[in-house]
């Protein structure tokens, strides 16, 4: 057996036999997907519950096919009492009330308690009204465009949950594995021992990267496998396979995070604490668990500095939004650059021994 | 404890027993008794010194860490087939010396040549010919004894069959399926020696191989080390046990404060200083103050 294969095998066995490590890198993120996917399944952000009082032309006079499209995003309920309807909205029971004035103006009342929901309802009604206005002018293509927008709004949670949680899983797996390998191999003097074996550093580094990439691809396969079952209902778009090189670049980027922490930390515990402090906030700020569309500007500014945010966005783009190389290449370049910079930092911090 | 449990059966006296200095040595060594005036390098006539270049030639090694002179001008030579001990109190610079010689660290000054080739910078061709056991057992996590030695064998391009034979040699065949953290101290030391020897090196470095072992395990390990040496390999050993050095080593170097104080066959040094055993030699040379 070659040195490369044998080292890879040793690392792989070490990882798989470490139950805690394999649970946290493989099973734990998948559990989040299973759980979140099920929790949010019928609670699509865009399927809003709107109460309609009286006649509202744009809703009532909608063609049947458009109504069907709309029903994916909007659930309209007819009510007889406007005050009661308003009370239900302020209770959070419904998302908005809509009615039409005598002079034709459409009135929408929503609660600011759920900003995301309020935004969605407003956007939907806005686009409906504009579609109707455009229809009045007799320009069919513009009407078609508006109808597409309605469809686009009905993103299922799985469409951002699967890429977001996958990104988080990749970030955790790659960074924890490389940090722990570095700390343990230094502590157990395996680094020294390998220095004294007639193999090139490239073999050791290559084996380490190979194992991490293998694990990341396995995770990607598990995630996509789970997300695309009908129960979760993720539909992959044309360039979904671009997720593979994206995941590879993400793995390298987060391995470099692990290398910096592993080079700095003296013990497993210190490395673990530092990784948690870095990875968890980064995952939240990168929209791994929930979308950041409605978050304040300063949060989004921080978010833009996170490599995971760009990985998540690009993976979501190619997996579910039909985006292609245009979305993948800038993210891949950025992740590789990030990896190069952090690896250089890790090389500066690197020590052979703890002493 | 496996096939190596022969030392006491052979009726050798315990090193701590009442004895004259050389008498005990001779009785304890499997090799023929030493001549009265040993030559400078290697003295057992059973050894075949076929090469003119020494196995190890160290000249003027220095290594500083900040203000501390860890190794401060160390020069010595080890002949082919010799069993050489490096002794000294804690912090004397033994391990650093060994690491400089092995090529793990770059010396500030001086040079170390192993089998005629400089050990720094790193030379994979040379690394194939030397075997190293580091002080702490450098094992991969969660692997069994067999997987450990197979991994090391693969690093040196050695067959798995040879690795299994090596496991047999150190009496660990029965423990082949046991993970490294479940091995006893003696078993772990034997495994780590087996890993250092799997590629049949000409020159072997062992850093405190018997530390933390019980007397039985220590004596079993001595047999293994003697066997390694008897096969014609040059062995360099550091140890805190003076009895061990006295019994195993052809020559010892006694170090303190980064320098070599004295080099010679244990019996020579004992006779020279007119004391009872190597431990007395050691204490006389390095003093009795606490270290570290």
């Amino acid at each position: 057996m070659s040195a490369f294969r044998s080292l890879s095998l040793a690392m792989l066995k070490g990882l798989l036999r470490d139950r805690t490590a394999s649970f946290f890198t493989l099973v734990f993120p998948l559990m989040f997907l299973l759980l979140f996917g099920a929790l949010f399944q019928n609670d699509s952000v865009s399927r809003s519950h709107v109460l309609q009082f009286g006649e509202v032309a744009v809703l009532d006079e909608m063609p049947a096919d458009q109504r069907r499209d709309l029903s994916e995003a909007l659930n309209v309920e007819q009510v007889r009492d406007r005050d009661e309807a308003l009370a239900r909205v302020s209770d959070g029971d419904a998302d908005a009330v809509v009615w039409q004035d005598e002079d034709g103006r459409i009135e929408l009342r929503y609660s600011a308690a759920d900003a995301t929901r309020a935004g969605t309802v407003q956007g939907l009604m806005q686009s409906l009204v504009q579609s109707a206005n455009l229809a009045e002018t007799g320009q069919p293509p513009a009407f078609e465009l508006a109808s597409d927008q309605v469809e686009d709004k009905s993103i299922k949670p799985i469409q951002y949950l699967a890429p977001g949680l996958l990104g988080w899983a990749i970030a955790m797996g790659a960074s924890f594995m490389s940090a722990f390998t570095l700390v343990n191999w230094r502590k157990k003097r395996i680094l020294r021992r390998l220095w004294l074996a007639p193999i090139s550093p490239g073999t050791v580094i290559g084996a380490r990267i190979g194992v991490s990439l293998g694990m990341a691809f396995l995770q990607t396969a598990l995630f996509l496998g789970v997300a695309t079952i009908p129960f979760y209902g993720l539909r992959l778009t044309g360039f979904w396979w671009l997720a593979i090189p994206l995941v590879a670049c993400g793995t390298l980027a987060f391995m470099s995070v692990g290398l910096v922490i592993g080079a700095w930390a003296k013990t497993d515990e210190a490395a673990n604490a530092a990784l948690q402090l870095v990875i968890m906030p980064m995952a939240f700020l990168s929209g791994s668990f929930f979308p950041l569309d409605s978050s304040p500007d300063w949060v989004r500014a921080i978010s833009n500095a996170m490599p995971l945010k760009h990985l998540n966005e690009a993976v979501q783009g190619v997996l579910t939004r039909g985006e292609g190389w245009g979305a993948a290449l800038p993210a891949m370049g950025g992740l590789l650059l990030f990896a190069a910079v952090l690896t250089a930092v890790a090389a500066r911090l690197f020590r052979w021994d703890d002493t | 404890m496996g096939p190596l449990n022969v030392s006491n059966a052979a009726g050798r006296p315990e090193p701590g027993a009442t004895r004259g200095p050389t008498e005990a040595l001779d009785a304890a060594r499997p090799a023929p008794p030493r001549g009265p005036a040993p030559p400078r390098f290697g003295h057992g006539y059973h050894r075949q010194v076929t090469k003119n270049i020494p196995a190890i030639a160290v000249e003027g090694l220095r290594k500083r860490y900040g203000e501390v002179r860890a190794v401060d001008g160390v020069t010595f030579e080890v002949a082919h087939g010799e069993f050489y001990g490096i002794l000294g109190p804690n912090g004397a610079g033994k391990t650093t010396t060994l690491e400089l010689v092995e090529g793990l660290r770059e010396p500030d000054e001086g040079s170390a040549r192993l089998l005629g080739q400089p050990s720094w910078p790193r030379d994979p061709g040379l690394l194939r010919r030397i075997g190293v056991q580091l002080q702490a057992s450098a094992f991969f996590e969660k692997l069994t004894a067999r997987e450990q030695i197979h991994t090391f064998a693969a690093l040196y391009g050695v067959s798995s069959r040879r690795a299994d034979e090596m496991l047999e040699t150190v009496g660990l065949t029965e423990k082949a399926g046991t993970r490294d953290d479940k091995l006893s101290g003696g078993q772990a030391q034997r495994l780590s020696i087996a890993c250092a020897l799997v590629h049949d090196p000409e020159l072997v470095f062992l850093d405190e191989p018997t530390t933390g072992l019980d007397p039985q395990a220590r004596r079993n390990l001595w047999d293994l080390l003697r066997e390694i040496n008897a096969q014609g390999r040059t062995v360099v050993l550091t140890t805190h046990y003076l009895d061990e050095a006295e019994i195993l080593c052809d020559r010892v170097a006694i170090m303190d404060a980064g320098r070599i104080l004295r080099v010679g066959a244990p019996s020579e040094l004992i006779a020279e200083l007119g004391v009872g055993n190597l431990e007395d030699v050691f204490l006389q040379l390095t003093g009795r103050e606490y270290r570290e």
Side-chain angles (χ1 to χ4, degrees), chain A residues 23-311:
Chain A
F23 173 81
F24 276 103
T25 51
L26 278 178
V27 185
F28 190 55
L30 204 59
M31 278 169 51
F32 265 68
L33 180 68
L34 293 169
L35 191 72
F36 279 20
L39 277 179
F40 294 127
Q41 195 177 29
N42 298 317
D43 186 29
S44 148
V45 167
S46 44
R47 191 171 160 84
S48 307
H49 188 190
V50 173
L51 307 176
Q52 182 188 341
F53 172 71
E55 286 185 4
V56 178
V58 289
L59 290 173
D60 298 340
E61 290 160 21
M62 202 183 290
D65 58 331
Q66 202 193 335
R67 185 181 292 277
R68 201 172 48 244
D69 286 343
L70 183 67
S71 71
E72 277 187 23
L74 199 62
N75 174 28
V76 183
E77 187 190 336
Q78 305 283 343
V79 291
R80 290 173 183 284
D81 185 341
R82 191 163 68 188
D83 292 333
E84 191 197 312
L86 283 167
R88 279 174 66 190
V89 171
S90 54
D91 288 350
D93 183 28
D95 297 316
V97 186
V98 64
W99 71 88
Q100 195 164 3
D101 287 352
E102 280 103 51
D103 55 0
R105 201 164 55 160
I106 295 170
E107 296 281 349
L108 183 73
R109 296 288 180 276
Y110 55 86
S111 160
D114 186 341
T116 318
R117 191 50 63 90
T120 311
V121 171
Q122 277 190 88
L124 268 171
M125 290 310 295
Q126 197 79 264
S127 79
L128 279 175
V129 170
Q130 271 168 18
S131 317
N133 283 340
L134 282 167
E136 288 296 304
T137 65
Q139 289 178 20
F143 190 82
E144 286 300 312
L145 181 70
S147 137
D148 278 351
Q149 276 183 356
V150 171
E151 256 187 2
D152 248 2
K153 295 257 178 201
S154 70
I155 288 181
K156 289 184 175 172
I158 194 74
Q159 280 176 286
Y160 71 80
L161 276 178
L165 291 175
L166 175 63
W168 172 57
I170 301 294
M172 266 214 315
S175 60
F176 275 72
M177 276 192 276
S178 67
F180 285 156
T181 303
L182 193 50
V183 171
N184 284 325
W185 283 20
R186 185 174 57 228
K187 207 164 61 183
K188 301 188 93 182
R189 311 208 77 200
I190 294 173
L191 284 178
R192 287 287 191 196
R193 189 62 189 78
L194 290 175
W195 171 268
L196 290 172
I199 51 168
S200 76
T203 306
V204 182
I205 295 165
R208 180 61 273 187
I209 290 177
V211 170
S212 276
L213 284 179
M215 296 302 285
F217 291 149
L218 176 65
Q219 257 167 340
T220 309
L222 284 173
F223 263 74
L224 295 187
V226 167
T228 50
I229 60 171
F231 179 71
Y232 292 110
L234 177 70
R235 258 171 293 168
L236 298 177
T237 53
F239 284 98
W240 68 270
W241 50 267
L242 277 176
I244 296 169
L246 274 168
V247 161
C249 295
T251 303
L252 292 177
F254 296 114
M255 280 184 80
S256 72
V257 174
L259 283 182
V260 170
I261 290 173
W264 163 81
K266 283 205 161 92
T267 62
D268 281 3
E269 290 78 13
N272 189 23
L275 284 163
Q276 297 287 6
L277 278 176
V278 171
I279 301 295
M280 280 314 282
M282 179 176 74
F284 278 107
L285 285 170
S286 304
S288 273
F289 304 107
F290 45 80
L292 295 174
D293 304 335
S294 52
S295 53
D297 283 345
W298 64 269
V299 172
R300 270 184 284 178
I302 300 175
S303 167
N304 271 327
M306 301 283 160
L308 181 56
K309 187 241 176 188
H310 299 283
L311 176 67

Side-chain angles (χ1 to χ4, degrees), chain B residues 7 17 62 80 120 136-137 215 228 234 241 252:
Chain B
S7 64
R62 276 175 216 279
H80 279 278
W120 186 276
S137 307
I228 292 163
T234 310
Y241 300 106
V252 296

Side-chain angles (χ1 to χ4, degrees), chain B residues 142-194:
Chain B
K142 314 269 176 198
L143 296 196
T144 65
R146 178 182 286 120
E147 288 165 343
Q148 302 281 1
I149 197 163
H150 280 196
T151 306
F152 279 107
L155 296 183
Y156 288 88
V158 171
S159 73
S160 303
R161 203 169 52 84
R162 160 81 190 155
D164 288 332
E165 282 169 14
M166 202 58 228
L167 215 52
E168 171 85 50
T169 306
V170 296
L172 283 177
T173 305
E174 281 172 33
K175 293 284 171 189
T178 307
R179 290 200 193 158
D180 64 311
D181 50 348
K182 299 277 183 285
L183 293 173
S184 72
Q187 289 162 348
Q189 288 290 18
R190 278 187 282 153
L191 177 60
S192 112
I193 291 173

Side-chain angles (χ1 to χ4, degrees), chain B:
Chain B
M1 201 209 280
L4 286 161
N5 193 6
V6 290
S7 64
N8 292 334
R12 291 193 197 110
E14 293 297 304
T18 327
R19 54 182 160 76
T22 48
E23 213 176 87
L25 270 179
D26 292 344
R29 286 193 66 89
R34 293 153 204 267
R40 181 145 159 59
F41 298 127
H43 41 77
Y45 53 76
H46 60 292
R47 299 198 199 287
Q48 295 281 309
V49 181
T50 50
K51 296 172 188 169
N52 293 326
I53 44 164
I56 301 174
V58 172
E59 224 178 283
L61 275 190
R62 276 175 216 279
K63 185 76 183 175
R64 235 175 251 105
Y65 294 113
E67 289 297 296
V68 184
R69 293 176 176 183
V71 176
D72 192 14
V74 163
T75 300
F76 65 92
E77 284 191 359
V78 178
H80 279 278
E82 197 174 10
F83 203 129
Y84 196 86
I86 300 179
L87 314 177
N90 284 335
K94 304 185 296 288
T95 297
T96 308
T97 303
L98 213 55
E99 287 177 348
L100 290 169
V101 172
E102 291 160 357
L104 271 177
R105 294 174 195 275
E106 184 179 12
D108 294 337
E109 278 174 53
S111 70
R113 298 178 81 83
L114 307 180
L115 308 165
Q117 287 162 4
S119 65
W120 186 276
R122 191 171 177 268
D123 172 5
L126 175 62
L127 293 177
R128 259 174 236 289
R129 300 171 67 192
I130 69 170
V132 177
Q133 188 220 14
L134 298 172
Q135 209 173 69
S137 307
F139 292 131
F140 292 98
E141 294 200 301
K142 314 269 176 198
L143 296 196
T144 65
R146 178 182 286 120
E147 288 165 343
Q148 302 281 1
I149 197 163
H150 280 196
T151 306
F152 279 107
L155 296 183
Y156 288 88
V158 171
S159 73
S160 303
R161 203 169 52 84
R162 160 81 190 155
D164 288 332
E165 282 169 14
M166 202 58 228
L167 215 52
E168 171 85 50
T169 306
V170 296
L172 283 177
T173 305
E174 281 172 33
K175 293 284 171 189
T178 307
R179 290 200 193 158
D180 64 311
D181 50 348
K182 299 277 183 285
L183 293 173
S184 72
Q187 289 162 348
Q189 288 290 18
R190 278 187 282 153
L191 177 60
S192 112
I193 291 173
C195 290
L197 293 175
V198 71
H199 57 293
D200 199 17
E202 297 160 52
L203 177 54
V204 185
F205 294 94
L206 306 164
D207 199 359
E208 301 189 7
T210 57
T211 299
L213 301 190
D214 65 20
Q216 282 80 7
R218 260 178 89 204
R219 271 152 195 77
N220 285 327
L221 207 54
W222 291 354
D223 288 324
L224 176 63
L225 299 183
R226 280 198 197 98
E227 209 177 290
I228 292 163
N229 183 232
Q231 288 160 355
R233 285 183 246 265
T234 310
V235 180
V236 177
L237 167 96
T238 70
T239 181
H240 276 302
Y241 300 106
L242 281 303
D243 56 340
E244 185 170 293
E246 194 171 334
I247 286 166
L248 291 172
C249 296
D250 296 322
R251 284 191 309 146
V252 296
I254 296 178
M255 282 190 78
D256 201 5
R259 295 162 182 273
I260 290 184
L261 304 178
R262 200 70 71 100
V263 179
S267 56
E268 249 184 286
L269 295 177
I270 292 163
E272 197 180 315
L273 291 160
V275 290
N277 56 38
L278 192 60
E279 189 147 340
D280 295 334
V281 173
F282 184 86
L283 290 173
Q284 204 165 97
L285 290 171
T286 61
R288 292 196 58 168
E289 303 86 41
Y290 282 114
R291 304 302 175 100
E292 292 194 353

